């Protein structure tokens, strides 16, 4: 073989050696680089197993791949793709491209926990050479497809996240939109990555190529020249580019080491397969990136060494599936310019029409035209010794394509129409300006025919000017016009079991959930009770998926309530990736939700409030008493370990809600909530004195503690708690802050240690002291928060506010009035309705009555007169009964009682009762005598 190809590139070597000597004034490193590039090409061309170099999402590579597959008809196709993704490729026929093959792991074993979840994606578009190879291998009988790249587990084994530094954002990166985030933070597998890793080299190429970014340089100087080239020319040029970038810009040492390990891995796998199957290397084709095709590792080739040892995978369990992708997602993940993948898709369609090459498409592929009747397979073309195509390609002048005026004019008219729809004041004159400017820019950049990038620059210059009236700028409008951001879709049959189950359970809604966009779902559960199951699924999806996937418009889910009518906005087709990744975590949505609640509750940073929220969600969405009891018991443990009161308001709110639910739906309270109330009572009693004096504890948190203690007191005492513990905690509390002092006074009133008269006297004393008046709003803030634990003080708070407004002069009142208003708004918004209702009951309803109105707290009751018989007038209720005897007579008649009414001076009724039933009095007398 070596003798056959000996001397193929001797002429090119001689010319490059002469050029190096002329430019460098003698042999030096330049000669070594140039001759080394030719040696790399010669080395790859002489390999018995044909190497087909490609560039990711390159239309020229796809056309060359389709042409070569029809000519060579290989029996084995080795593809640079993660070897564990092979079983998924058959599901591509059930999808609408572009999609991405994904490996996903939620629980890691052998990797740092902060890396979780792990995700690896490999996007596939129709205008990519690897899709042509996959479609050929899967639909051609007798052809075997073998993936030879490292596994998804090895992607992270060879990763070095801790040593990598963040790269600056690319100014030409596509906008961050929904489609651009379809891959999330997944690691992308770069198939055919051809981009200089040497910043100065890329800058040099862009400057001398008169282009703005790398995608435009590739389109101008590689895509267009190779679009119509023959196989040998394409192959040698791609090998030349790969070797050039490899030798001039080795890049980061770690990345170079990973690249070489990948090449060793791939050649090791190919030799293993050849040895196991006995396949002839002449009948095989190796599809890889041009960067890896020009490799110089010792393991290169079918006759390479077998010294590379592949490490075993970690214990991490990987899930595999297909997720929707988009042009914007591919551009964002691989650092391409905005719109470059859409332009590549347009170029692919043009190349197919121009070259008349019949591309390969998977049978039944969604989103593609139905294939015509299959032609008879052409006879394989014999492999002839390759000739030197590089010399002619490098010496030929650039092809000058004729200006297609009709195409450029159509672009100009269409962009003006799109600009008008988006708010621009564009006219026919702008279309003419765009047309002429595109030609002018192409001429300035030494192009006979304007490229889509020239047209984009011209449209921005002539239409956008200095303002963007709408949501999209002109650059984005050109991208949409050139083909737009095509979003792929995974078919129903290729979805994981959970996703299919969700679609089946939502089928009664009658919606096309696979479609993109937002759809409105109306659920009349009262007339169609079977829709309640759909409601359950939707609420679980709302909890697990991003906010826009399932958004309730009408209806809510609360403990103890049954839904009647609901309205939802659903976008499951848009958020298909999130739904698919849920399928990696379980086989049903209930199982995934339970796992999610467990992770939340048992997280090391979880608080008691967080765990109680998980308990409530388990009861609300899953109706699982078993899970609620388990998480509730864990909430008790978390609460006992807390040493701060930060979550007290949330704990109080959720415990009250759960108690109300269990008291109305269960015959007895669950044991866990009784234990929680008992432990919480002792816990907050212990923390109360410290919280009153702690500057980090807010008045809202201390009020929530008191609210828990006072509202749960009856239940806690019935469970064996001691009220003395609360009284001692209040006695030991000595706050210094004004609001907490007022809160403490309210607690003392609730416990009976402070009367209302004393509390009123203290407030009057505060208003009488000029030094304390500026702090009076903070006292009112404390009283306001006290309405939650001591709601009986609502009338007193109204009295305190009214006294302040009535007694203080305007020079004193107005300075702290804004503080009072902001305090009420920020801290007591939920308690303000209590004050408003109480004020409505206290103050007169008409303005005319205000002049003669006397506040209740100022009206002193008259001293009660002594009863003529010497008894206190405490039995005036008998007078009311005597005045209206009809009601009592009716009740007596209903009960079958007979009797007459006694007069007021007939003596106490208790004496007559004792005379009728003397046995009780005799027994009491005997008991007292014995004592």
């Amino acid at each position: 073989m070596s003798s056959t190809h000996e001397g193929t590139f001797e002429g090119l070597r001689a010319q490059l050696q002469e050029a190096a000597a002329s430019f460098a004034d003698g042999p030096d490193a330049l000669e070594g680089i140039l001759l080394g590039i030719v040696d790399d090409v010669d080395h790859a061309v002489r390999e018995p197993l044909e190497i087909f170099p490609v560039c990711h999402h390159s239309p020229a590579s796809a056309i060359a791949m389709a042409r070569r597959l029809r000519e060579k008809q290989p029996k084995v196709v080795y593809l640079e793709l993660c070897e564990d993704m092979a079983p998924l490729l058959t599901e591509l026929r059930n999808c609408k491209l572009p999609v991405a093959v994904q490996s996903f792991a939620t629980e890691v074993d052998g990797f740092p926990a902060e890396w979780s979840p792990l995700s690896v994606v490999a996007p596939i578009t129709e205008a990519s050479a690897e899709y042509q190879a996959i479609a050929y291998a899967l639909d051609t009988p007798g052809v075997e497809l073998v993936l030879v790249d490292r596994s998804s587990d090895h992607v992270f084994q060879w990763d070095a996240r801790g040593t990598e530094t963040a790269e600056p954002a690319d100014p030409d990166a596509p906008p961050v939109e929904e489609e651009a985030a379809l891959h999330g933070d997944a690691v992308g597998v770069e198939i055919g990555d051809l981009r200089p890793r040497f910043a100065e080299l890329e800058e040099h190429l862009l400057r001398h190529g008169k282009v703005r970014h790398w995608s435009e340089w590739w389109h101008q100087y590689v895509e267009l020249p190779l679009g119509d080239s023959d196989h040998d020319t394409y192959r040698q040029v791609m090998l030349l580019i790969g070797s050039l970038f490899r030798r001039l810009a080795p890049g980061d040492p770690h990345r170079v080491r990973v690249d070489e390990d990948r090449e060793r891995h791939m050649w090791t796998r190919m030799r293993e397969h050849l040895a196991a199957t006995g396949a002839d290397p002449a009948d095989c084709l190796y599809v890889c990136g041009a960067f890896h095709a020009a490799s110089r590792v010792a393991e290169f080739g079918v006759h390479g060494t077998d010294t590379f040892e592949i490490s075993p995978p970690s214990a991490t369990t990987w899930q595999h599936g297909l997720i929707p992708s988009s042009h914007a997602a591919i551009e964002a993940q691989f650092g391409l310019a905005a719109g470059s993948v859409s332009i590549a898709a347009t170029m692919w369609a043009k190349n197919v029409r121009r070259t008349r090459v019949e591309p390969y498409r998977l049978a039944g592929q969604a989103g593609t035209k139905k294939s015509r009747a299959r032609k008879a397979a052409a006879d394989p073309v014999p492999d002839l010794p390759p000739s030197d195509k590089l010399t002619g390609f490098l010496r030929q002048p650039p092809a000058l394509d004729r200006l297609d005026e009709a195409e450029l004019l159509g672009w100009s008219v269409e962009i003006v129409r799109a600009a008008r729809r988006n708010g621009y004041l564009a006219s026919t004159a702008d279309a003419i300006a765009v047309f002429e400017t595109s030609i002018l820019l192409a001429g300035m950049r030494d192009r006979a025919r304007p490229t889509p990038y020239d047209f984009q620059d011209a449209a921005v210059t002539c239409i956008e000017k200095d303002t963007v009236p709408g949501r999209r700028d002109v650059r984005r409008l050109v991208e949409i016009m050139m083909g737009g951001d095509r979003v792929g879709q995974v078919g129903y049959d290729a979805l994981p079991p959970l996703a299919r189950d969700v679609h089946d359970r939502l089928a009664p809604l009658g919606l096309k959930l696979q479609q993109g966009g937002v759809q409105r779902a109306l659920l009349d559960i009262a007339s169609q009770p079977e829709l309640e199951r759909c409601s359950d699924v939707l609420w679980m999806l709302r909890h697990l998926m991003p906010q826009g996937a399932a958004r309730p418009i009408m209806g809510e889910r609360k403990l103890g309530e049954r839904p009647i009518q609901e309205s939802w906005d659903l976008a499951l087709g848009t958020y298909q990736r999130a739904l698919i990744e849920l399928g990696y975590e379980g086989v049903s949505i209930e199982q995934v939700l339970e796992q999610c609640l467990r992770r939340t509750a048992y997280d090391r940073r979880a608080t008691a409030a967080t765990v109680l929220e998980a308990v409530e969600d388990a009861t609300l969405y899953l109706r699982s008493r078993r899970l609620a009891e388990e998480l509730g018991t864990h909430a008790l443990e978390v609460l006992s370990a807390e040493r701060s009161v930060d979550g007290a308001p949330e704990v109080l709110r959720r415990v009250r809600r759960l108690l109300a639910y269990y008291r109305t739906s269960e015959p007895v309270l669950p044991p866990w909530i009784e234990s929680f109330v008992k432990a919480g009572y002792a816990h907050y009693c212990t923390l109360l004195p410290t919280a009153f004096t702690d500057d980090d504890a807010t008045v809202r948190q201390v009020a929530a503690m008191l609210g828990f203690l006072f509202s749960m007191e009856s239940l806690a005492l019935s469970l064996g708690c001691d009220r003395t513990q609360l009284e001692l905690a209040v006695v030991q509390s000595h706050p210094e802050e004004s609001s907490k002092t007022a809160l403490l006074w309210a607690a003392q009133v609730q416990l009976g240690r402070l009367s209302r008269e004393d509390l009123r006297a203290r407030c009057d004393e505060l208003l009488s002291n000029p030094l304390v008046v500026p702090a009076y709003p903070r006292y009112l803030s404390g009283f306001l928060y006290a309405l939650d634990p001591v709601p009986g003080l609502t009338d007193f708070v109204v009295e305190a506010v009214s006294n302040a407004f009535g007694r203080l002069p305007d020079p004193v009142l107005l300075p702290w009035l804004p503080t009072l208003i902001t305090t009420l708004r920020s801290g007591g918004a939920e308690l303000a309705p209590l004050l408003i209702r109480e004020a409505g009951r206290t103050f007169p309803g008409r303005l005319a009555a205000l002049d003669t109105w006397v506040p209740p707290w100022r009206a002193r009751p008259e001293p009660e007169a002594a009863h003529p018989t010497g008894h206190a007038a405490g039995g005036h209720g008998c007078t009311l009964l005597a005045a209206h005897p009809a009601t009592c007579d009716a009740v007596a008649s209903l009960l079958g009682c007979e009797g007459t009414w006694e007069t007021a001076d007939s003596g106490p009724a208790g004496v007559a009762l004792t005379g009728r039933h003397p046995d009780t009095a005799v027994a009491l007398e005997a008991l007292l005598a014995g004592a």
Side-chain angles (χ1 to χ4, degrees), residues 207-530:
R207 182 174 66 253
H208 288 274
K210 299 179 181 180
V211 293
R212 291 180 295 110
H213 45 71
W214 172 252
S215 299
E216 186 176 0
W217 186 93
W218 182 268
H219 176 272
Q220 178 66 24
Y221 294 99
V222 180
E223 283 292 334
L224 296 181
L226 291 181
D228 297 326
S229 62
D230 60 276
H231 169 64
D232 289 338
T233 302
Y234 165 83
R235 186 184 177 197
Q236 294 175 19
V237 170
M238 291 295 289
L239 290 171
L240 174 70
I241 296 174
S243 176
L244 175 67
F245 291 161
R246 193 182 187 105
R247 288 182 174 272
L248 293 184
D252 178 63
H254 169 74
R255 186 170 183 179
V256 172
R257 185 172 64 255
V258 171
D259 287 333
E260 291 179 350
D261 286 344
R262 291 178 63 187
E263 293 157 4
R264 295 185 178 98
H265 185 284
M266 289 187 285
W267 280 109
T268 300
R269 290 302 192 202
M270 284 187 282
R271 284 195 299 272
E272 291 176 354
H273 181 269
L274 290 173
T277 61
D280 186 359
D283 295 332
C284 304
L285 186 67
Y286 171 35
V287 182
C288 67
F291 187 89
H292 299 294
S295 175
R296 283 291 185 174
V297 297
E299 291 79 6
F300 179 89
V302 295
H303 302 296
T305 62
D306 290 324
T307 58
F308 182 70
E309 295 184 2
I310 301 175
S311 60
S314 68
T316 300
T317 302
W318 289 88
Q319 303 286 338
H320 299 85
L322 297 170
I323 62 172
S325 184
S326 68
H327 293 168
I330 298 172
E331 293 160 358
Q333 187 167 32
F334 297 104
L336 305 176
S340 58
V341 179
S342 298
I343 293 175
T346 304
M347 288 295 301
W348 159 256
K350 290 183 179 179
N351 289 347
V352 170
R353 291 193 300 268
R354 186 179 69 253
T355 62
R356 299 182 181 276
V357 174
E358 184 179 359
Y360 287 95
R361 292 187 177 94
L362 288 171
Q365 180 77 61
T368 59
K369 298 179 180 179
K370 294 183 178 179
S371 59
R372 300 185 298 271
R374 286 189 175 275
K375 300 179 180 180
D379 295 332
V381 177
D383 289 337
L384 300 176
S387 58
D388 179 11
K389 299 290 185 177
L390 282 178
T391 303
F393 181 84
L394 295 176
R395 296 180 62 179
Q396 70 180 4
L400 299 178
D401 294 340
R402 294 177 59 253
L403 172 64
D404 190 344
E405 294 187 357
E407 180 186 55
L408 183 59
L409 185 61
W411 288 356
S412 303
V413 173
E414 184 62 28
I415 190 59
V416 168
R417 182 182 294 113
R420 287 175 180 172
R421 289 196 299 265
N422 285 269
Y424 290 91
L425 299 177
S427 61
T428 305
D430 293 314
I432 298 174
V434 172
F435 180 87
E436 298 294 341
T437 306
S438 301
I439 299 175
L440 177 63
L441 288 177
M444 295 173 60
R445 296 167 179 172
D446 297 333
R447 304 169 187 169
R449 179 176 182 173
T451 66
Y453 298 98
D454 298 326
F455 172 75
Q456 189 179 56
D457 293 341
V460 172
T461 302
C462 299
I463 298 177
E464 188 169 295
K465 300 178 176 67
D466 58 345
T467 59
V468 179
R471 185 170 63 92
R472 299 186 178 98
D473 57 8
V474 174
R475 188 177 302 278
R476 179 63 175 159
L477 294 178
V478 173
E479 295 170 12
I480 296 174
M481 189 192 73
M482 288 294 176
D485 184 18
R486 189 173 303 170
V487 181
Q489 187 181 73
V490 179
Y492 176 85
D493 294 331
L495 292 174
L498 180 144
R500 294 199 299 268
D501 180 61
V502 168
H503 283 279
D504 294 341
R505 293 167 68 177
L506 295 180
L509 299 179
L511 301 177
K512 297 180 180 179
L513 300 177
Q514 289 279 77
Q515 291 183 353
V518 180
Q519 303 180 68
R520 179 63 57 86
L522 303 176
L523 285 73
D524 188 2
I525 303 174
S527 60
Q528 295 178 286
E530 64 274 9

Side-chain angles (χ1 to χ4, degrees), residues 655 658-659 662 669-678 715 719:
V655 167
L658 290 169
L659 273 175
Y662 286 128
L669 291 177
W672 76 264
I673 200 168
E674 293 182 348
S675 301
F676 188 89
V677 171
K678 183 177 179 180
L715 178 58
L719 296 174

